[in-house]
Amino acid sequence: METDTTSPDALRASMVDKVRTMGHAWRSEVERVLRQVPRHEFVPEADLETAYHSWKAVITHRFEDGASLSCASAPYVVAMMLDQLDVQPGNRVLEIGAGTGYNAALLSELTGDAENVTTIDIDADVTTQASRALQTTGYGGVRVVTGDGAAGVPEHAPYDRIIATVSPWDIPEAWWNQLAPGGRIVLPLRWRGQARSVAFSEQEGRLISDSVELCGFVYLVGDDEGERSAPITEDGTVGLHWDRDQAVDPSVLKGVFDQPRITAWSGVTIAGDESHDGLWLHMTVTDSRTCRVNAQSDVSADVCDPIAPLRSPALVEGGSLAYLTSRRQETENGARWELGAIGNGPAAEELTERLCDEIRAWSSARDKRPTVIAYPADTPDNELAATPIEKAHSRLVLTFDDKLSTAM
């Protein structure tokens, strides 16, 4: 008898199998609910193959300018964050960013009761669609709220688990207040130009991470007060992104690419399918000058040649900068890419050598992740484990010191 490999059930099973091979849905209960909930019914405008593609998001709602506002996150990302959240039966859960309602359905299965789940979104069209899908699929008990996600939903607090499927630059005070003592919060937090899905547990008034994973999400609406960006070329084709607590003045960087270029190489190589992304995370721990440079696709490599044009780590010091680059090398085992740094400006030599030092330090322990500790904004300096990244509602400390992180 032939097996139908195109049915929703078969495609869903294949999706989960692929997500598992990617290292996600390692919690048995997460695998179970992914196999159980019909994802395609939450994205009815998508064909079945798209609905069950293991690493593609399905955009369901856009701003008038065409930017995506809401989507069903890629299944591997959904699985990754649910692994991080560790929902237990009976947990009360708040989701920031309703999306299609699919994640709320999964959370309903994990907690064992749809009435334990509250999801909020600022856009009424999104919540209307999510409510309809949840009703249709048997999860009508989920509370779907239209409102500002940054404010949470205090009337149903406290929550044992909070998950954000929109990316904040800071941790809103309301989320701190609505999280139960000892609870967990998972959010795609942004700092130093990059974003990570960070799983925090509440410990004596602080949030301490035990998982930090690469991710990318639509920004939390209205949460742009701390992240800065500006062009650093006259034609606006190269830009810089940094945080408000960094001493960056984009006006003094104008014309920096007209200055002599210095290139330095680290001796560290990677294969074509090997990620270098952990380097950026490492740099955010060890050098407070870390930010992001982005170059449009038509920018000549003679002007700016970052390893990834739209998203590359950089170091900035006054009117100088250095950014990550690479060059191809042929070896007996095939092509590899050597990582290095290109710098411009008076401090280019120091910055490029510093970036190469960072590459070598990261390369010696590529899988190591820092602990992220979030303190309330009024925490005095003498109670911090290290120099913080200053945000509006929190002081963020990143450390590779296991003794500091476990002593909190």
Side-chain angles (χ1 to χ4, degrees):
M1 177 182 296
E2 291 186 2
T3 301
D4 183 2
T5 60
T6 62
S7 70
D9 289 347
L11 289 169
R12 186 161 59 254
S14 176
M15 175 195 78
V16 178
D17 290 344
K18 291 176 181 177
V19 167
R20 290 273 296 155
T21 63
M22 298 169 74
H24 307 299
W26 55 268
R27 294 187 185 275
S28 59
E29 61 272 25
V30 173
E31 179 183 0
R32 174 182 62 82
V33 300
L34 287 173
R35 294 189 185 278
Q36 183 174 348
V37 175
R39 177 177 166 91
H40 66 284
E41 295 191 25
F42 292 87
V43 287
E45 70 284 357
D47 60 73
L48 287 175
E49 184 177 353
T50 300
Y52 287 111
H53 200 291
S54 57
W55 56 269
K56 283 186 178 179
V58 180
I59 295 172
T60 58
H61 192 64
R62 290 185 179 273
F63 287 112
E64 290 183 359
D65 65 2
S68 60
L69 172 65
S70 182
C71 69
S73 298
Y76 83 91
V77 174
V78 172
M80 177 188 76
M81 295 183 73
L82 291 180
D83 281 337
Q84 291 180 300
L85 193 61
D86 188 25
V87 176
Q88 299 297 312
N91 279 169
R92 294 168 60 83
V93 185
L94 172 64
E95 178 189 33
I96 313 296
T100 63
Y102 173 62
N103 205 53
L106 295 169
L107 292 168
S108 298
E109 292 290 349
L110 289 169
T111 189
D113 187 344
E115 293 186 1
N116 286 341
V117 179
T118 301
T119 185
I120 182 171
D121 202 287
I122 199 167
D123 190 283
D125 289 340
V126 171
T127 54
T128 296
Q129 178 178 318
S131 294
R132 184 183 304 117
L134 287 163
Q135 288 285 349
T136 301
T137 53
Y139 300 99
V142 172
R143 298 185 184 91
V144 182
V145 178
T146 302
D148 182 1
V153 185
E155 56 267 35
H156 300 300
Y159 302 98
D160 305 293
R161 301 290 187 268
I162 297 176
I163 184 170
T165 57
V166 288
S167 182
W169 177 81
D170 194 6
I171 307 172
E173 188 174 3
W175 300 1
W176 288 74
N177 295 337
Q178 293 171 33
L179 183 66
R184 290 180 66 80
I185 180 170
V186 174
L187 64 161
L189 190 61
R190 309 194 315 271
W191 69 91
R192 302 308 191 233
Q194 46 95 71
R196 303 282 163 164
S197 179
V198 184
F200 291 104
S201 61
E202 193 281 333
Q203 299 182 35
E204 300 180 353
R206 288 162 288 204
L207 301 176
I208 302 178
S209 77
D210 54 35
S211 176
V212 181
E213 300 288 348
L214 179 65
C215 69
F217 278 86
V218 173
Y219 289 4
L220 177 66
V221 173
D223 184 43
D224 56 1
E225 64 182 52
E227 191 171 52
R228 308 282 194 256
S229 64
I232 55 174
T233 55
E234 293 298 337
D235 60 3
T237 56
V238 181
L240 195 71
H241 300 255
W242 70 99
D243 289 330
R244 70 177 191 177
D245 67 329
Q246 294 178 288
V248 173
D249 182 353
S251 66
V252 304
L253 285 165
K254 289 287 182 69
V256 68
F257 297 114
D258 297 327
Q259 300 185 45
R261 170 187 288 196
I262 291 178
T263 304
W265 298 103
S266 67
V268 173
T269 65
I270 57 173
D273 60 352
E274 190 176 0
S275 175
H276 62 273
D277 182 75
L279 169 61
W280 197 341
L281 178 60
H282 174 95
M283 291 170 61
T284 70
V285 183
T286 56
D287 199 312
S288 62
R289 299 172 294 181
T290 300
C291 52
R292 169 161 64 98
V293 67
N294 64 278
Q296 295 181 13
S297 58
D298 58 350
V299 173
S300 169
D302 293 332
V303 174
C304 186
D305 189 22
I307 190 169
L310 294 180
R311 299 185 61 84
S312 287
L315 297 175
V316 171
E317 181 71 41
S320 305
L321 87 164
Y323 54 86
L324 183 66
T325 192
S326 66
R327 64 180 176 183
R328 182 185 178 104
Q329 293 185 338
E330 296 297 337
T331 72
E332 293 180 357
N333 298 318
R336 294 185 66 83
W337 280 259
E338 184 179 9
L339 302 180
I342 294 175
N344 301 80
E349 184 173 1
E350 184 271 326
L351 291 176
T352 53
E353 287 301 327
R354 171 63 178 176
L355 210 165
C356 284
D357 286 343
E358 294 281 2
I359 295 169
R360 288 185 281 265
W362 159 76
S363 183
S364 66
R366 298 187 186 189
D367 294 330
K368 189 172 180 61
R369 296 289 185 269
T371 298
V372 184
I373 308 170
Y375 298 81
D378 60 356
T379 304
D381 289 347
N382 62 3
E383 295 183 15
L384 302 180
T387 302
I389 295 173
E390 301 287 1
K391 294 181 176 286
H393 306 293
S394 60
R395 309 185 76 186
L396 206 66
V397 168
L398 285 84
T399 178
F400 285 117
D401 190 332
D402 294 334
K403 292 182 180 179
L404 282 176
S405 62
T406 57
M408 291 297 100

